[in-house]
Amino acid sequence: MTGAPFAAVVRSRQERGISRATGACPVPCYHGLMRSPRLRFAPSPTGFLHVGGARTALFNWALARRLGGTFVLRIEDTDRQRSEQVYVDAILDAMRWLGLNWDEGPEVGGAHGPYFQMERLDSYRVAAEALLASGAAYRCVCPAREDADTTAPVACSCSVEAVPPGAGGALRFRTPADGHVTFRDLIHGAVSFPCADIEDFVLLKADGVPTYNFAAVVDDAAMAITHVVRGDDHLSNTPKQVLVYRALGHDLPDFAHIPMILGPDRKRLSKRHGAVSIQQFREDGYLPEALVNYLARLGWAHGDMELFGLDEMVAVFDLEGVGKAPAVFDYDKLAWAQASWLKRLAPDELVRRTVPLMAAAGLPVDLDDAVRLEGLVQTLVPRSATLPELVEQARFYFDVPLAWDEAAVAKVLIPGVEPVLGALRERLAVLSAWDHASLEEAFRGLAQDLGLKAGAVIQPARVALTGRTASPGMFEVAALLGRDLVLRRLDEALGRVSGAALPG
Ligand code: GLU
């Protein structure tokens, strides 16, 4: 037996003066006053934000925005041993980077929130006192059970012999011995757990710090959360939370437990499978849009639509599109989303994001020449998987020493190309207009005059101008490089060719 039957120890709502009409709860809350959609993301700062958490945040954010509601960010930092400030900072950074803005919380330096549970200990104490007073909870001083949430029901005399006030100990919920806890989940349908499987779980530890199951309910109620959307690893916590909601006299929110994310081997996604933290993807050069897009499609679908920005998600997101089956993380699909978003970003936006990376790589970026910058990044988009890769490839567009691919030099810049490059240099030096069309005409005209295929002019020019055998289109490249740099590079290449021609 885990204690007296629930009905006997928990007095009715009316007896406790709780009326549904006014929603007067024993703890301060907005119930009855506002039922506009309010959703939250409630990470524990015990690690970096990983893809699973980010997807939960995204779904909550998108639903809040879709419904015209409020999105709350709450840091669940009650695990004092494992919570760290670096993780708080990393989570907030990752949320901002993904574009998942939150709406409220205590004001800090002109910005809002988030809420921190460790700053809300008073509300848990007030709620705990209400449960103690109603008999829904009891103080437990058994040393063997202290602070321990066990999976099996454990009986102890504290549940029947009242522990005197001031004796300390943990506060436990008095779980009914019989019956079921039943609730409706928007994804799983009706869910029911036998009370016999639920221990008298700890609400407040002896040091006054609440457990997750208690703090989450007190906060969700106080913050008038209408929809609790979270990973289905929490499904087994929900019956405990339902019991606490009811004991406190609160209406239940709508629950939606979204399926887990698995690795390609169908085991729970972890570091073994590759990058899993948002921070890591960011360092690896992924676009936030690509991650958001990929996370959106992880376990949610909207017809056969594949490309989603945050705005598009807000327009159509719903929980009906969330499947029941676990989602499998597919790094190739993420790469596809990344490639699609690199193409989808407006050229000026691409420039805005790459310029700091270019500057960091030591490239002399001329911010006044936006047209050139936009032009060059666009030529590189189809050839780059990430922004750092694009920047790496952009090197040859700048007046810095070329990173010569020596194998290409040895193969292409051979003595036979000297007259070709020499003649090309002569023509380009006097070309009247320096644009794609005139350059194309000059290259092709020269090939024709020399009785060569166009490639026989273009390929050595490509190695001369870019240091490599593969590059964006030669006329585009030459146009963007400008006459001065093109002529200097041709001179340098000619120097290399004649150097190679000199006897050993
Ligand atoms: N702090 C919990 C976690 O990070 C929150 C679960 C919930 O959303 O209720 O898993």
Side-chain angles (χ1 to χ4, degrees), residues 40-44 56 74 76 117 212 216 220 228-231 233-234 241:
R40 60 18 168 224
F41 175 52
S44 303
T56 301
R74 183 172 77 220
E76 301 204 324
Q117 287 192 321
Y212 155 66
D220 285 340
V228 169
V229 180
R230 61 186 166 206
D233 50 335
H234 283 292
Q241 297 186 12

Side-chain angles (χ1 to χ4, degrees), residues 127-453:
E129 277 162 11
L131 293 184
L132 200 55
S134 72
Y138 62 92
R139 230 169 247 301
C140 172
V141 286
C142 301
R145 298 183 64 201
E146 197 182 342
D147 293 353
D149 260 339
T150 51
T151 44
V154 183
C156 80
S157 59
C158 305
S159 67
V160 281
E161 290 162 21
V163 173
L171 194 77
R172 283 182 185 277
F173 189 80
R174 196 186 300 277
T175 302
D178 310 308
H180 284 75
V181 182
T182 304
F183 56 92
R184 201 170 63 90
D185 184 275
L186 295 177
I187 292 164
H188 297 265
V191 181
S192 182
F193 285 83
C195 290
D197 289 350
I198 305 172
E199 77 279 8
D200 283 3
F201 49 97
V202 174
L203 303 171
L204 276 189
K205 291 184 274 182
D207 60 5
V209 176
T211 56
Y212 155 66
N213 278 319
F214 186 49
V217 172
V218 173
D219 282 346
D220 285 340
M223 295 172 188
I225 299 301
T226 53
H227 302 70
V228 169
V229 180
R230 61 186 166 206
D232 66 11
D233 50 335
H234 283 292
L235 197 55
S236 61
N237 282 318
T238 306
K240 293 179 186 170
Q241 297 186 12
V242 167
L243 287 171
V244 176
Y245 271 104
R246 291 189 177 137
L248 286 171
H250 295 305
D251 291 335
L252 295 184
D254 282 336
F255 290 106
H257 289 88
I258 53 182
M260 291 283 87
I261 302 178
L262 307 179
D265 57 0
R266 303 197 73 84
K267 302 226 164 77
R268 201 180 159 146
L269 187 70
S270 78
K271 278 192 198 136
R272 284 180 302 116
H273 296 107
V276 287
S277 78
I278 299 305
Q279 182 162 318
Q280 187 62 52
F281 285 110
R282 183 179 181 178
E283 280 166 19
D284 290 347
Y286 282 88
L287 297 172
E289 288 87 350
L291 260 175
V292 160
N293 196 146
Y294 182 62
L295 292 176
R297 290 284 293 104
L298 253 186
W300 174 74
H302 183 73
D304 53 10
M305 206 169 148
E306 287 291 349
L307 275 177
F308 293 93
L310 286 175
D311 290 349
E312 282 135 334
M313 244 192 120
V314 169
V316 297
F317 186 76
D318 57 15
L319 290 171
E320 284 90 80
V322 178
K324 274 190 197 164
V328 176
F329 198 89
D330 181 337
Y331 287 88
D332 291 339
K333 278 201 187 145
L334 173 60
W336 173 87
Q338 169 81 358
S340 310
W341 272 96
L342 275 175
K343 289 196 197 90
R344 221 178 182 218
L345 283 189
D348 60 335
E349 182 59 23
L350 262 177
V351 166
R352 200 182 62 74
R353 296 198 203 183
T354 42
V355 158
L357 303 178
M358 289 176 178
L363 301 177
V365 186
D366 177 5
L367 289 177
D368 292 333
D369 200 348
V371 176
R372 184 177 119 85
L373 286 171
E374 288 178 17
L376 72 85
V377 294
Q378 274 178 290
T379 66
L380 296 171
V381 160
R383 327 178 65 83
S384 318
T386 62
L387 289 185
E389 216 174 290
L390 186 150
V391 170
E392 167 61 28
Q393 300 220 45
R395 229 191 134 69
F396 71 81
Y397 276 121
F398 294 90
D399 194 0
V400 290
L402 277 184
W404 293 98
D405 169 359
E406 291 302 338
V409 173
K411 188 165 159 238
V412 179
L413 295 187
I414 50 176
V417 303
E418 197 174 357
V420 179
L421 289 181
L424 181 66
R425 192 201 185 285
E426 262 172 47
R427 285 201 187 195
L428 298 186
V430 296
L431 194 65
S432 52
W434 194 266
D435 54 35
H436 187 287
S438 323
L439 283 158
E440 178 163 10
E441 213 179 293
F443 273 76
R444 293 197 190 283
L446 176 66
Q448 207 166 27
D449 295 349
L450 296 177
L452 296 171
K453 285 190 179 152

